[in-house]
Amino acid sequence: MRSRSIPLREVYVWEFPVRLYHWINALCITSLCITGYIIGDPPALMKGTEAYFNYWFGTVRFVHFVSAFLFFFNFVFRTYWGFVGNEFSRWYNYIPLKPSQWKEIIDVIKVDVLQVTHKRIGSIGHNALASFVYFITFLIFVFQCLTGFGMYSAMSNAFLPNLFAWIVPVLGGDILVRQIHHILMWGFILFTIVHVYLVFYHDYIERRGVTSSMIGGWKFIEEDIVDSLDENTNDKTKK
Amino acid sequence: MKEKQPTFYEEVINEGLSRKDFLKFCTTMAAFLGLETSGVGQIVHALQTKPRLPVIWFHFQECTCCSESFIRASHPIVASIVLDKISLDYQETLMAASGFQAESAYKTVMEKYPGEYIVMVEGSIPTENEAYCCIGGRSALQILEEAAKNAKAVVAWGNCASSGCVQAAKPNPTGAKPVHKVISGKPIINVQGCPPIADVMAGVVVHLLTFDRIPQLDELGRPKAFYSRRVHDTCYRRANFDAGLFVESFDDEGAKRGYCLYKMGCKGPVTYNSCGIIKWNDGLSYPIQSGHPCIGCSEAGFWDNGPFYQHLPNTGAFGIETTADKIGLGLGVATAVGIAGHAIVTNIRKHRNISNSPTVDSETLKES
């Protein structure tokens, strides 16, 4: 039996609201991409029948809109959690304002993307590159909500969609709004492919339990990393 | 030009139409404008008491389809609005005068009714080189700027004047611009469409005449009464859309059954107009009813968002006929190939990590 004995510490990284957000988000994005693609290019399912038999396309659109509302409020909640959650979920992780974040971005590109150097990336939550990519996806979320609700606002008197109605005149009309909405859908699809692969990759290489951490919230982190971070925080509190 | 302008009503009666016809017209217009019943009285009152509206109508870079549409309006009174009721003092296509006389006609209006006359524009204005459109030795821009200075409002007829239409399509060799891009500080009404529906044009004129102010406009300067709803949302084929019944090609069973033209590139879902309600040629039909997808002619840049028979516009990147879906699929395949490559490289380069000997290097720990 092969086994390895190294000092590990279990760290509670993803709080329950973060995990809930993640899975609702995953569900919404899956649903939105599938229904969105069908809306863009509907298959000929019921050919030869009359309209009064069917409402399947209307249902697909309904599912798309419901998912969109869920997606939006879920995202709003996550934004809020970025200000009240634990250190791994805070907003400053996602926007690389500090030089140390940029340094780690370059490290991650060297170590994990190009694989030209071998060293350990010591961040416990997301690494700096992953965080930055999530920040870009958040921007895509915002644009997708803007364009989506912008199109939706024309057939709704509800308060929320009409908050986004201004995007249509800004872009000069629905044609461009729909085009952008459609292109960004591919952003979600490509992100999902890469995201799932990289989760497997990190679990395979680092064995910190990153995949299951989004289920249980805990990661297995090498003890020296946790200790050094704890010392740093203790130092700061002493000062 | 007479000193006392006859009212609209006097003109109509003089022409031999009955008061009943006049009232019918007022009621129709009130309905088009979305007014409540009391609005009919306001229109009747305005048309009986107010003098004719002095109008200068310019043709710049355009095809005159707006004028053609206007004179084919459903109600006879609507047609006659154009010919004399709005005091069309200058209209290149329809006026009898020519040369010096014509030039002096619109100058007289500008001098006589400053702040009262309406400038109506068909066509876009070249800015790349103003010489592309000259009338009477002066450029379109000069003429428009001079006329708009003392105008009460500017009505931009059609897609050319509202958003540049085909002249402004890529690569826009004349630098064609719509009215709102070259004129500022004046109320501008964009009566969109290529051409706009005649009754919509008449409705805008009647509104100006009745209420002495411009109609309520949307964010793109279009009268809300006519452009607040999508062709798609008012389409009689909408039930087929919701049922997922689509025409797949112009000669299939679906086309015969009148299925939705969504997959044939119908721009109804992204086009704001009242084609589905008012329709064309006395309410006879409109493109979708005649089996043709909407081309989105009342939207800015509709020429560049083609082709007309394709749901997704071409992106203009990576060759002419590339849609977002083709690019997306290509990127998806490239990503999958990249991932496969990365996974193989990982197993070679990181075999030490994988085979149980972690590369712990305490010096490279994060310093933060």
Side-chain angles (χ1 to χ4, degrees):
Chain A
M1 191 173 74
R2 289 173 74 186
S3 67
R4 181 172 70 146
S5 176
I6 56 162
L8 290 174
R9 199 85 73 77
E10 285 188 25
V11 182
Y12 190 52
V13 181
W14 313 123
E15 298 154 293
F16 179 69
V18 174
R19 285 175 276 147
L20 190 67
Y21 156 80
H22 175 271
W23 291 113
I24 291 176
N25 203 32
L27 197 71
C28 286
I29 288 174
T30 310
S31 150
L32 284 165
C33 284
I34 293 172
T35 52
Y37 192 86
I38 292 173
I39 291 167
D41 187 14
L45 286 184
M46 297 295 184
K47 266 199 102 56
T49 59
E50 289 298 325
Y52 54 79
F53 289 122
N54 310 298
Y55 194 71
W56 76 263
F57 198 62
T59 308
V60 169
R61 294 173 74 243
F62 178 74
V63 171
H64 191 79
F65 300 144
V66 169
S67 308
F69 275 102
L70 189 58
F71 173 80
F72 175 77
F73 285 112
N74 193 41
F75 178 51
V76 169
F77 167 76
R78 181 63 183 85
T79 312
Y80 161 75
W81 199 257
F83 292 92
V84 298
N86 70 12
E87 61 205 278
F88 304 111
S89 60
R90 288 288 174 113
W91 65 273
Y92 48 72
N93 289 296
Y94 298 92
I95 307 169
L97 297 173
K98 287 178 263 176
S100 61
Q101 285 170 303
W102 282 107
K103 190 174 166 294
E104 191 179 299
I105 286 176
I106 292 163
D107 280 350
V108 173
I109 289 173
K110 281 185 188 165
V111 172
D112 291 319
V113 182
L114 303 175
Q115 302 188 354
V116 289
T117 54
H118 297 284
K119 68 178 185 181
R120 197 175 57 180
I121 303 295
S123 45
I124 296 175
H126 302 305
N127 69 49
L129 180 63
S131 301
F132 186 46
V133 171
Y134 293 137
F135 178 62
I136 293 168
T137 64
F138 293 160
L139 294 181
I140 294 177
F141 289 4
V142 170
F143 268 96
Q144 202 69 332
C145 290
L146 274 176
T147 51
F149 283 119
M151 284 189 284
Y152 187 81
S153 67
M155 52 178 181
S156 169
N157 290 320
F159 174 73
L160 179 79
N162 280 291
L163 287 178
F164 300 91
W166 55 268
I167 193 72
V168 177
V170 163
L171 291 172
D174 275 11
I175 299 176
L176 190 56
V177 176
R178 184 169 77 175
Q179 174 84 329
I180 291 174
H181 198 70
H182 197 101
I183 290 170
L184 291 181
M185 174 193 74
W186 281 102
F188 281 84
I189 294 172
L190 295 180
F191 169 81
T192 306
I193 296 170
V194 176
H195 172 73
V196 171
Y197 168 72
L198 285 179
V199 170
F200 292 169
Y201 164 85
H202 282 287
D203 228 353
Y204 188 53
I205 299 301
E206 293 168 352
R207 292 205 289 269
R208 287 171 180 163
V210 63
T211 314
S212 60
S213 74
M214 206 33 90
I215 297 169
W218 294 81
K219 274 187 178 181
F220 309 104
I221 306 294
E222 294 87 327
E223 201 166 59
D224 52 319
I225 294 177
V226 182
D227 285 343
S228 71
L229 284 176
D230 273 349
E231 276 165 29
N232 280 335
T233 33
N234 288 341
D235 289 344
K236 276 173 197 162
T237 42
K238 273 172 202 165
K239 280 169 196 169
Chain B
M1 193 152 301
K2 284 171 267 177
E3 267 312 300
K4 188 188 175 296
Q5 295 273 343
T7 67
F8 183 86
Y9 178 66
E10 284 164 2
E11 289 263 359
V12 172
I13 297 300
N14 285 344
E15 247 180 40
L17 287 164
S18 67
R19 180 166 172 83
K20 193 178 173 188
D21 286 328
F22 171 72
L23 291 177
K24 264 163 82 179
F25 167 74
C26 293
T27 314
T28 311
M29 280 299 131
F32 283 162
L33 289 168
L35 302 178
E36 52 187 1
T37 327
S38 62
V40 181
Q42 279 181 284
I43 293 179
V44 171
H45 180 73
L47 298 186
Q48 277 182 341
T49 53
K50 286 187 186 165
R52 302 191 308 177
L53 199 62
V55 168
I56 307 172
W57 184 312
F58 290 118
H59 294 251
F60 298 134
Q61 295 191 133
E62 48 87 46
C63 71
T64 318
C65 75
C66 301
S67 296
E68 292 286 344
S69 173
F70 203 177
I71 60 177
R72 277 160 185 74
S74 52
H75 201 281
I77 292 179
V78 180
S80 54
I81 284 183
V82 205
L83 297 169
D84 37 27
K85 299 310 169 288
I86 53 170
S87 173
L88 208 54
D89 300 289
Y90 179 87
Q91 215 271 20
E92 280 119 354
T93 312
L94 298 170
M95 66 188 170
S98 65
F100 177 78
Q101 270 188 308
E103 293 294 305
S104 68
Y106 83 77
K107 279 178 182 141
T108 314
V109 175
M110 288 194 287
E111 282 160 21
K112 216 167 166 186
Y113 306 102
E116 284 177 47
Y117 65 90
I118 308 280
V119 171
M120 296 183 174
V121 182
E122 259 186 85
S124 57
I125 298 99
T127 55
E128 171 73 26
N129 182 342
E130 289 179 36
Y132 282 126
C133 182
C134 285
I135 301 155
R138 294 193 308 149
S139 77
L141 190 61
Q142 285 173 325
I143 295 169
L144 181 60
E145 275 175 349
E146 184 195 47
K149 202 164 69 180
N150 286 320
K152 188 177 181 182
V154 181
V155 177
W157 289 137
N159 202 305
C160 298
S162 302
S163 59
C165 204
V166 72
Q167 302 84 261
K170 283 169 200 150
N172 192 0
T174 63
K177 282 188 176 169
V179 171
H180 67 89
K181 291 256 173 78
V182 293
I183 297 294
S184 56
K186 288 283 163 193
I188 297 170
I189 310 167
N190 289 330
V191 186
Q192 271 280 22
C194 189
I197 302 170
D199 306 272
V200 169
M201 300 172 80
V204 171
V205 172
V206 168
H207 191 286
L208 287 169
L209 212 60
T210 308
F211 299 107
D212 265 335
R213 54 186 150 90
I214 61 166
Q216 200 185 2
L217 304 177
D218 69 6
E219 297 292 322
L220 294 165
R222 302 177 292 198
K224 274 191 175 172
F226 304 107
Y227 298 95
S228 61
R229 303 185 72 191
R230 288 186 283 217
V231 172
H232 187 57
D233 293 332
T234 52
C235 183
Y236 80 104
R237 296 194 185 199
R238 177 59 187 261
N240 292 287
F241 174 82
D242 288 330
L245 298 170
F246 302 103
V247 176
E248 305 286 330
S249 76
F250 282 117
D251 56 354
D252 72 354
E253 178 68 16
K256 283 182 204 157
R257 286 172 180 257
Y259 283 178
C260 173
L261 292 157
Y262 184 69
K263 288 175 84 173
M264 302 311 294
C266 183
K267 301 292 185 290
V270 287
T271 304
Y272 294 76
N273 209 337
S274 21
C275 298
I277 302 162
I278 297 176
K279 301 190 182 176
W280 293 75
N281 303 322
D282 207 0
L284 179 69
S285 180
Y286 72 112
I288 295 167
Q289 192 174 340
S290 306
H292 190 280
C294 168
I295 61 172
C297 76
S298 58
E299 290 293 319
F302 76 101
W303 294 100
D304 287 332
N305 288 302
F308 292 152
Y309 304 108
Q310 191 173 296
H311 172 69
L312 271 185
N314 288 334
T315 53
F318 316 109
I320 294 165
E321 291 191 2
T322 316
T323 62
D325 278 346
K326 285 183 188 168
I327 296 174
L329 197 62
L331 287 175
V333 171
T335 309
V337 170
I339 282 174
H342 191 267
I344 293 165
V345 172
T346 300
N347 277 295
I348 298 163
R349 303 276 298 166
K350 304 262 185 203
H351 67 276
R352 287 176 66 205
N353 301 48
I354 299 158
S355 63
N356 233 356
S357 45
T359 50
V360 180
D361 179 359
S362 54
E363 284 170 17
T364 56
L365 283 181
K366 265 188 79 185
E367 285 158 18
S368 65

CSV table of all heavy atoms in Angstrom, one decimal, chain A residues 13 16 58 79 82-83 97 109 115 123 135 137 152 163 181 199 213 219 235:
chain,number,residue,atom,x,y,z
A,13,VAL,N,-12.2,26.7,4.3
A,13,VAL,CA,-12.0,27.8,3.3
A,13,VAL,C,-13.3,28.4,2.8
A,13,VAL,O,-13.5,29.6,2.8
A,13,VAL,CB,-11.1,27.2,2.1
A,13,VAL,CG1,-10.9,28.3,1.1
A,13,VAL,CG2,-9.8,26.7,2.6
A,16,PHE,N,-20.4,28.0,4.1
A,16,PHE,CA,-21.6,27.5,3.4
A,16,PHE,C,-22.3,28.4,2.4
A,16,PHE,O,-22.6,28.0,1.3
A,16,PHE,CB,-22.7,27.1,4.5
A,16,PHE,CG,-23.9,26.5,3.9
A,16,PHE,CD1,-23.9,25.3,3.3
A,16,PHE,CD2,-25.1,27.3,4.0
A,16,PHE,CE1,-25.1,24.8,2.7
A,16,PHE,CE2,-26.3,26.8,3.4
A,16,PHE,CZ,-26.3,25.5,2.8
A,58,GLY,N,-41.8,28.5,-25.8
A,58,GLY,CA,-42.2,29.4,-24.7
A,58,GLY,C,-41.6,28.9,-23.3
A,58,GLY,O,-41.2,29.7,-22.5
A,79,THR,N,-21.8,39.1,-4.2
A,79,THR,CA,-21.1,40.4,-4.1
A,79,THR,C,-21.2,40.9,-2.7
A,79,THR,O,-20.2,41.4,-2.1
A,79,THR,CB,-21.8,41.4,-5.1
A,79,THR,OG1,-21.9,40.8,-6.4
A,79,THR,CG2,-20.9,42.7,-5.2
A,82,GLY,N,-18.9,39.1,-0.5
A,82,GLY,CA,-17.5,39.6,-0.7
A,82,GLY,C,-17.1,40.7,0.2
A,82,GLY,O,-15.9,41.0,0.3
A,83,PHE,N,-18.1,41.2,1.0
A,83,PHE,CA,-17.7,42.3,2.0
A,83,PHE,C,-17.9,41.8,3.4
A,83,PHE,O,-17.4,42.4,4.3
A,83,PHE,CB,-18.6,43.5,1.7
A,83,PHE,CG,-18.3,44.2,0.4
A,83,PHE,CD1,-19.0,43.9,-0.7
A,83,PHE,CD2,-17.3,45.2,0.4
A,83,PHE,CE1,-18.7,44.5,-1.9
A,83,PHE,CE2,-17.0,45.8,-0.8
A,83,PHE,CZ,-17.7,45.5,-2.0
A,97,LEU,N,-4.8,44.4,-6.9
A,97,LEU,CA,-4.3,45.7,-6.6
A,97,LEU,C,-2.9,45.7,-6.0
A,97,LEU,O,-2.2,46.7,-6.1
A,97,LEU,CB,-5.3,46.5,-5.7
A,97,LEU,CG,-6.7,46.7,-6.3
A,97,LEU,CD1,-7.6,47.3,-5.2
A,97,LEU,CD2,-6.6,47.6,-7.5
A,109,ILE,N,1.4,31.4,-13.7
A,109,ILE,CA,1.5,31.2,-15.2
A,109,ILE,C,2.8,30.3,-15.4
A,109,ILE,O,2.7,29.4,-16.2
A,109,ILE,CB,1.6,32.5,-15.9
A,109,ILE,CG1,0.3,33.2,-15.8
A,109,ILE,CG2,2.1,32.3,-17.3
A,109,ILE,CD1,0.3,34.6,-16.4
A,115,GLN,N,4.4,25.6,-17.1
A,115,GLN,CA,5.1,24.5,-16.4
A,115,GLN,C,6.6,24.5,-16.7
A,115,GLN,O,7.3,23.5,-17.0
A,115,GLN,CB,4.5,23.1,-16.8
A,115,GLN,CG,3.1,23.0,-16.5
A,115,GLN,CD,2.5,21.7,-16.7
A,115,GLN,OE1,3.1,20.8,-17.2
A,115,GLN,NE2,1.2,21.5,-16.2
A,123,SER,N,-1.0,29.8,-1.8
A,123,SER,CA,-2.2,30.4,-1.4
A,123,SER,C,-3.3,29.3,-1.0
A,123,SER,O,-3.3,28.3,-1.7
A,123,SER,CB,-2.8,31.4,-2.5
A,123,SER,OG,-2.7,30.7,-3.7
A,135,PHE,N,-12.6,37.4,-11.4
A,135,PHE,CA,-13.0,38.8,-11.5
A,135,PHE,C,-13.5,39.2,-12.9
A,135,PHE,O,-14.5,39.9,-13.1
A,135,PHE,CB,-11.9,39.7,-11.1
A,135,PHE,CG,-12.2,41.2,-11.2
A,135,PHE,CD1,-13.2,41.8,-10.4
A,135,PHE,CD2,-11.5,42.0,-12.1
A,135,PHE,CE1,-13.5,43.1,-10.5
A,135,PHE,CE2,-11.8,43.4,-12.2
A,135,PHE,CZ,-12.8,43.9,-11.4
A,137,THR,N,-14.8,37.0,-15.0
A,137,THR,CA,-16.1,36.4,-15.2
A,137,THR,C,-17.2,37.2,-14.5
A,137,THR,O,-18.3,37.3,-15.0
A,137,THR,CB,-16.1,35.0,-14.6
A,137,THR,OG1,-15.9,35.0,-13.2
A,137,THR,CG2,-15.1,34.1,-15.3
A,152,TYR,N,-34.9,42.0,-22.1
A,152,TYR,CA,-36.2,41.5,-21.5
A,152,TYR,C,-37.1,42.7,-21.1
A,152,TYR,O,-38.3,42.6,-21.1
A,152,TYR,CB,-35.8,40.8,-20.2
A,152,TYR,CG,-36.9,40.1,-19.4
A,152,TYR,CD1,-37.4,38.9,-19.9
A,152,TYR,CD2,-37.5,40.7,-18.3
A,152,TYR,CE1,-38.4,38.2,-19.2
A,152,TYR,CE2,-38.6,40.1,-17.7
A,152,TYR,CZ,-39.0,38.9,-18.1
A,152,TYR,OH,-40.0,38.3,-17.4
A,163,LEU,N,-34.6,48.5,-14.9
A,163,LEU,CA,-33.4,49.1,-14.4
A,163,LEU,C,-32.3,49.0,-15.5
A,163,LEU,O,-31.3,49.8,-15.5
A,163,LEU,CB,-32.9,48.5,-13.1
A,163,LEU,CG,-33.7,48.8,-11.8
A,163,LEU,CD1,-33.1,48.0,-10.7
A,163,LEU,CD2,-33.7,50.2,-11.5
A,181,HIS,N,-24.9,39.5,-26.1
A,181,HIS,CA,-25.4,38.5,-25.2
A,181,HIS,C,-25.0,37.1,-25.7
A,181,HIS,O,-24.6,36.3,-24.9
A,181,HIS,CB,-26.9,38.7,-25.1
A,181,HIS,CG,-27.5,38.0,-23.9
A,181,HIS,ND1,-27.4,38.4,-22.6
A,181,HIS,CD2,-28.3,36.9,-23.8
A,181,HIS,CE1,-28.1,37.7,-21.8
A,181,HIS,NE2,-28.6,36.7,-22.5
A,199,VAL,N,-9.8,22.5,-12.0
A,199,VAL,CA,-10.0,21.9,-10.7
A,199,VAL,C,-9.5,20.5,-10.6
A,199,VAL,O,-8.8,20.2,-9.6
A,199,VAL,CB,-11.6,21.9,-10.4
A,199,VAL,CG1,-11.9,21.1,-9.2
A,199,VAL,CG2,-12.1,23.3,-10.3
A,213,SER,N,-13.5,20.4,-1.7
A,213,SER,CA,-13.7,21.6,-0.8
A,213,SER,C,-14.9,22.4,-1.2
A,213,SER,O,-15.4,23.1,-0.3
A,213,SER,CB,-12.4,22.5,-1.0
A,213,SER,OG,-12.4,23.2,-2.2
A,219,LYS,N,-10.2,22.3,3.1
A,219,LYS,CA,-9.1,21.9,2.2
A,219,LYS,C,-8.0,21.4,3.1
A,219,LYS,O,-7.9,21.7,4.3
A,219,LYS,CB,-8.5,23.2,1.5
A,219,LYS,CG,-9.2,23.5,0.2
A,219,LYS,CD,-8.4,24.6,-0.5
A,219,LYS,CE,-9.0,25.0,-1.8
A,219,LYS,NZ,-8.2,26.0,-2.5
A,235,ASP,N,1.5,38.5,13.9
A,235,ASP,CA,2.4,39.7,13.9
A,235,ASP,C,1.6,41.0,13.7
A,235,ASP,O,1.8,42.0,14.4
A,235,ASP,CB,3.4,39.6,12.8
A,235,ASP,CG,4.5,38.5,13.1
A,235,ASP,OD1,4.5,38.1,14.3
A,235,ASP,OD2,5.2,38.1,12.2
